Amino acid sequence: MLPPASLQEEPPRAAVGELGRLAVELLRRGAAPRAYEAAARKLNIDIDTVQHGVEGLTYLLTESSKVMISETDFQDSIHVLGFSDELNKLLLQLYLDNRKEIRSVLGELAPKLPSYHNLEWRLDVQLASRSLRQQIKPAVTIKLHLNEKDDQTAHVLQTDPSTLLHLIQQLEQALGEMKTNHCRRIVRNMK
Amino acid sequence: MELSAYAQGGWRLLGDPRRFPRRAYCALLRAALRSLLLGHCREGLDDPDLKDIDPTVLKHCHAAAVMCILEAGKQKADISAISTCLEDCKLDKERIEQFCTEYQKNKDALEILLGSIGRSPLHITDVSWSLEYQIKNNQLHKTYQPSYLVTLNVEENSDSGSHPDVSFSCTMEQLQDLVGKLKDAAKSLERASQM
């Protein structure tokens, strides 16, 4: 992994701390020009340098987190910048402290299908209708809550008792698959 | 069990042996039942035993027979109720008995047909699932987690027309939650059926 060009000159220690904070905020909440201005004044550097520094750090953190680079490999990668040991340690710590959060943010960007949120159910017994009186027709009404592209949708569906048992059986089989030797072997070998 | 004046008129014609000889009467009953249960109207009325009947009368009597069958089915009428109703239309005992026999034979199918009419939420008929193991995507590498894709197959409703199947992805924990809730529903069903 190659560090970005904007980190070529060794920045002062205090600056890195401040820029690191701004970089993480950028990833969390997006750009904040006022914060850059404040940092530029505080550190006595011009705002363009602040911006480039933050962008460079953001790139460093994002790429490192994306591939889940090991400590050793991270240190090897930034070594090429020729910073002091103290600064390298600071950068490494910045990476390790924020890696989990950055990965979860990146995870949000993945292509997504509607996903399960919740299920509510209700038992109904139909007693009569316009076309047929004196019925006893049990049914299970289900409200399936899904997350679809930042929105929550709800689907109202119904099923009969025997289909319900069939659904349970099928889905239990699905859950059981992860415990089979085949799946276990693949999971082991992937890591 | 009550029939409209129009239906009663049709039944009086049906009860008249001069208008409807015995074979024609039986043929008409069969035609009426078939048109309800199978949806074929034309073929039933093309029966050779009915060819001598005036078409207007035939149409009236077919309608009357169908109305009586539907009313009996809707009310879940018993033999005595049906008999009383047809007696009021001046049908003789033999014809009433023939009707009741034919009706009894087809009663269950009729009940299913009538019970299926009406609105209800989309009905789940089946479920399909697939299990994936995610390795990486272009934003994140080494994701390493299992993921399920579940599709609830929904019965095609003639109203909506379109493909209403509901598909969604879920993690293993979410699927366990889903199955747990379905099992709660099934347990409640069992308890309710024992009451």
Side-chain angles (χ1 to χ4, degrees), chain B residues 7 9 11 14 58 76 98 113 126 128 138-139 150 157 184:
Chain B
W11 273 102
L14 273 170
L58 193 57
K76 292 206 179 178
Q98 274 168 341
L113 178 69
D126 202 354
S128 24
N138 65 330
Q139 304 288 354
V150 177
N157 206 339
D184 286 341

Side-chain angles (χ1 to χ4, degrees), chain A residues 114 116 118 134 158 172 174, chain B residues 76 122 124 148 169 177 183:
Chain A
Y116 174 79
N118 193 15
Q134 297 179 49
Q158 199 176 66
E172 278 187 321
Chain B
K76 292 206 179 178
L122 294 171
I124 303 173
Y148 286 95
S169 70
D177 180 72
K183 279 164 108 164

Side-chain angles (χ1 to χ4, degrees), chain A residues 65-68 103 106-107 109-111 113-116 118-119 121 123 126 129-135 137-138 140-142 144 146 155-161 163-168 170-178 183 186-187 190-191, chain B residues 70 73-76 111-112 114-127 129 131 133 135 137-144 146 148-150 152 154 166-170 172 174-179 181-186 188-189 192:
Chain A
S65 303
K66 169 173 159 179
V67 302
M68 196 72 166
R103 277 180 71 82
L106 291 173
L109 298 169
L113 294 157
S115 68
Y116 174 79
N118 193 15
L119 180 111
W121 56 266
L123 281 180
Q126 181 162 298
S129 68
R130 182 179 167 181
S131 30
L132 187 61
R133 312 291 149 82
Q134 297 179 49
Q135 299 179 40
K137 195 161 134 187
V140 181
T141 307
I142 287 172
L144 182 64
L146 300 177
H155 294 259
V156 178
L157 304 162
Q158 199 176 66
T159 191
D160 53 87
T163 307
L164 176 66
L165 295 175
H166 169 74
L167 296 181
I168 292 171
Q170 287 295 309
L171 293 175
E172 278 187 321
Q173 270 183 14
L175 281 170
E177 273 306 303
M178 272 311 286
C183 290
I186 295 195
V187 171
M190 289 287 188
K191 297 249 183 295
Chain B
L70 284 176
K74 180 169 93 177
Q75 305 286 356
K76 292 206 179 178
E111 216 171 281
I112 292 171
L114 289 172
S116 69
I117 300 171
R119 290 191 173 277
S120 72
L122 294 171
H123 197 94
I124 303 173
T125 53
D126 202 354
V127 64
W129 57 267
L131 170 60
Y133 196 65
I135 308 170
N137 56 61
N138 65 330
Q139 304 288 354
L140 200 59
H141 297 188
K142 301 185 187 170
T143 43
Y144 296 146
Y148 286 95
L149 183 61
V150 177
L152 294 171
V154 176
V166 179
S167 290
F168 58 92
S169 70
C170 56
M172 193 151 171
Q174 286 169 337
L175 188 59
Q176 279 167 343
D177 180 72
L178 172 66
V179 174
K181 293 192 165 119
L182 289 178
K183 279 164 108 164
D184 286 341
S188 284
L189 245 177

Side-chain angles (χ1 to χ4, degrees), chain B residues 22-150:
Chain B
R22 200 168 161 278
R23 282 177 66 135
Y25 175 77
C26 294
L28 186 96
L29 286 187
R30 280 197 304 272
L33 279 161
R34 220 176 310 151
S35 64
L36 278 174
L37 297 172
L38 301 174
H40 307 286
C41 195
R42 226 350 65 93
E43 285 143 40
L45 292 176
D46 284 344
D47 192 313
D49 290 331
L50 295 170
K51 70 179 184 341
D52 294 326
I53 317 282
D54 175 73
T56 326
V57 171
L58 193 57
K59 207 168 138 187
H60 189 171
C61 294
H62 179 261
V66 164
M67 280 190 241
C68 183
I69 295 167
L70 284 176
E71 192 60 27
K74 180 169 93 177
Q75 305 286 356
K76 292 206 179 178
D78 56 21
I79 301 290
S80 66
I82 301 174
S83 304
T84 315
C85 176
L86 294 180
E87 271 163 20
D88 290 343
C89 301
K90 311 282 188 278
L91 246 76
D92 61 60
K93 206 157 166 266
E94 194 193 337
R95 295 203 174 196
I96 294 179
E97 239 174 73
Q98 274 168 341
F99 178 82
C100 291
T101 313
E102 283 303 314
Y103 175 75
Q104 285 286 92
K105 268 197 272 180
N106 294 283
K107 195 167 78 110
D108 290 340
L110 186 66
E111 216 171 281
I112 292 171
L113 178 69
L114 289 172
S116 69
I117 300 171
R119 290 191 173 277
S120 72
L122 294 171
H123 197 94
I124 303 173
T125 53
D126 202 354
V127 64
S128 24
W129 57 267
S130 71
L131 170 60
E132 295 170 348
Y133 196 65
Q134 286 179 6
I135 308 170
K136 59 159 75 167
N137 56 61
N138 65 330
Q139 304 288 354
L140 200 59
H141 297 188
K142 301 185 187 170
T143 43
Y144 296 146
Q145 60 173 20
S147 160
Y148 286 95
L149 183 61
V150 177

Side-chain angles (χ1 to χ4, degrees), chain A residues 14-15 17-19 21 35-45 50:
Chain A
E18 184 66 19
L19 295 182
R21 197 185 57 81
Y36 292 175
E37 282 169 21
R41 262 179 277 123
K42 186 170 152 192
L43 299 166
N44 210 7
I45 32 181
V50 170

